Amino acid sequence: MKTSIGMTVTEHILEKQRENPEATGAFTRLLSELIVATKIISREVNKAGIVDILGYAGRQNIQEEDVQKLDEFSNRTIIERMCHIGQLCVMASEENADIIEIPSRYPKGNYVLIYDPLDGSSNIDVNVSIGTIFSIHRKTSSHEDGTLSDVLQPGYKQVAAGYFIYGSSTMMVYTTGEGVHGFTLFPGIGEFLLSHENIRIPERGRIFSVNESNYNYWSDGVRRLVDYFKSPDTKPPYTARYIGSLVSDFHRNLLKGGIFMYPADTKDPKKPHGKLRLMCEANPLAFVVKEAGGYASTLEKPILEIEPEELHQRVPLFIGSKEDVELAERYVRGELGLGSNL
Ligand code: AHG
Ligand code: MN
Ligand code: MN
């Protein structure tokens, strides 16, 4: 009988550490502790239907969005677990207006953790998959305590990024710049085991993923693009899938191919660049998709090349199969006539 349970994520990270002569184990410690935090979140998400951790926490966050109790729990869990491990100089969360400093009583480190503690939280109460997204940079400033400048780095400087999905199973997908690897949590042993080694996104997909209720608020170019994806003249045809949970929509397209879009829209004058956040959503997923052979763009420039200006800045996001995203760029730039079929 096969006794081997396969490779755990810790073994996988240690293997990468051994391959890197300058590695000190600091990164391994960081990622291992984040994994512990997400196991705690996963357990709470899976209990959510039973105990009173569902529903609205009765306040709005910096994004002026209703904060769910699980948003708060997840954010608190990550902060509590990560702030004392001595590997971070600063953190930043979608749920915190400002950077999260490491308390003076704890040792500091050379890494920066930026994260969305719970993505897709509007789906918590209806049992749809949600997740945690993370992005890791190296410190750039000279003093011990991290600063906003350590956080506001362009996506191409990330040293690692990935996400956890709390769904029918709990999965972790991450990259350190050497491919994209997926792990599935085996509850019986509490370990993430390698289940998707070297994930590659199909060059072209047949899935487009967008919230079409915003159609009338998009630019003409984006409307034309979505009309193309829906046109009966487009061969082979596309199909539409939209879960409303970025990690879930992204993960499906990563495995099956396709394009996820959250375009800029005129719906909310305070959010002219769309809803999704550069630092804790677009950048980490853009790093993952690039490492899997895909591409992420605002349609004007690659996501990873954006020089961040604000902690919570939002960007239009077109991400997925390289050919689909490049087609979207050319369509919206008007380089392709109506009905071009590529
Ligand atoms: P979060 O729960 O972290 O605020 O993220 C929600 C995001 C993202 O998960 C999803 O793609 C998007 O909101 C859905 O927005 P719409 O409901 O406007 O389509
Ligand atoms: Mn999110
Ligand atoms: Mn969130």
Side-chain angles (χ1 to χ4, degrees):
M1 181 179 81
K2 198 159 145 336
T3 54
S4 160
I5 56 170
M7 181 179 269
T8 68
V9 65
T10 307
E11 287 167 331
H12 194 267
I13 299 168
L14 283 168
E15 197 175 79
K16 297 289 171 207
Q17 178 186 316
R18 275 194 293 276
E19 289 163 8
N20 176 352
E22 300 99 61
T24 62
F27 177 76
T28 302
R29 175 86 171 80
L30 196 178
L31 214 43
S32 303
E33 200 60 47
L34 180 62
I35 288 166
V36 173
T38 59
K39 286 179 185 174
I40 295 168
I41 295 168
S42 170
R43 189 194 59 187
E44 213 61 24
V45 166
N46 291 316
K47 276 179 8 189
I50 305 161
V51 298
D52 177 27
I53 191 144
L54 278 176
Y56 175 46
R59 67 177 181 80
Q60 292 212 317
N61 61 10
I62 172 75
Q63 324 279 350
E64 292 178 6
E65 291 159 342
D66 292 347
V67 175
Q68 305 291 332
K69 290 178 185 171
L70 264 179
D71 280 318
E72 277 183 340
F73 173 84
S74 306
N75 194 34
R76 216 174 36 251
T77 299
I78 292 174
I79 293 172
E80 285 165 9
R81 294 235 48 108
M82 301 306 288
C83 68
H84 65 273
I85 62 170
Q87 308 308 336
L88 294 169
C89 63
V90 67
M91 289 190 271
S93 166
E94 176 196 275
E95 299 299 336
N96 291 59
D98 303 312
I99 58 173
I100 303 164
E101 292 173 354
I102 305 300
S104 51
R105 64 184 177 281
Y106 295 136
K108 310 286 186 306
N110 294 317
Y111 290 102
V112 178
L113 174 65
I114 306 165
Y115 63 96
D116 176 356
L118 207 65
D119 173 71
S121 42
S122 61
N123 289 311
I124 291 170
D125 296 10
V126 294
N127 205 15
V128 166
S129 297
I130 50 184
T132 297
I133 309 172
F134 68 93
S135 165
I136 298 172
H137 281 283
R138 202 168 268 108
K139 181 156 97 83
T140 53
S141 63
S142 52
H143 28 84
E144 192 191 30
D145 293 346
T147 62
L148 183 58
S149 66
D150 290 302
V151 174
L152 295 184
Q153 298 185 54
Y156 69 86
K157 289 190 175 174
Q158 291 174 99
V159 292
Y163 55 90
F164 297 82
I165 296 190
Y166 314 115
S168 50
S169 65
T170 292
M171 268 201 76
M172 171 187 180
V173 175
Y174 89 108
T175 184
T176 55
E178 294 171 49
V180 177
H181 310 287
F183 301 78
T184 301
L185 182 64
F186 275 55
I189 53 174
E191 281 290 351
F192 279 102
L193 300 182
L194 183 61
S195 52
H196 299 69
E197 186 160 23
N198 259 328
I199 299 173
R200 301 294 295 170
I201 188 170
E203 282 284 300
R204 180 101 192 248
R206 304 320 307 175
I207 295 171
F208 73 92
S209 189
V210 70
N211 183 340
E212 284 201 63
S213 72
N214 297 328
Y215 185 90
N216 293 315
Y217 302 97
W218 294 332
S219 69
D220 290 343
V222 169
R223 282 189 207 143
R224 230 184 27 238
L225 172 67
V226 174
D227 291 344
Y228 163 78
F229 285 130
K230 294 166 67 175
S231 165
D233 301 329
T234 298
K235 301 277 187 286
Y238 281 78
T239 188
R241 290 287 184 275
Y242 192 73
I243 301 171
S245 171
L246 173 60
V247 278
S248 307
D249 279 315
F250 175 82
H251 184 67
R252 178 205 52 245
N253 289 357
L254 181 70
L255 298 184
K256 296 192 168 183
I259 180 170
F260 172 93
M261 301 171 275
Y262 209 105
D265 61 53
T266 56
K267 203 171 184 179
D268 180 346
K270 283 182 275 183
K271 299 175 189 168
H273 303 297
K275 176 179 186 180
L276 298 180
R277 279 96 3 176
L278 172 62
M279 299 310 294
C280 66
E281 290 171 320
N283 264 341
L285 297 186
F287 186 19
V288 169
V289 84
K290 176 175 175 286
E291 280 298 311
Y295 177 43
S297 167
T298 64
L299 293 193
E300 285 167 11
K301 66 186 308 184
I303 292 286
L304 293 177
E305 291 175 14
I306 298 173
E307 286 295 338
E309 287 152 21
E310 287 163 31
L311 188 52
H312 296 289
Q313 81 182 69
R314 298 168 193 267
V315 289
L317 179 62
F318 295 75
I319 186 169
S321 294
K322 190 170 170 51
E323 287 182 22
D324 289 311
V325 179
E326 286 175 343
L327 175 138
E329 286 181 327
R330 293 186 358 246
Y331 231 100
V332 174
R333 286 177 189 150
E335 292 163 17
L336 291 171
L338 265 175
S340 307
N341 202 7
L342 281 146

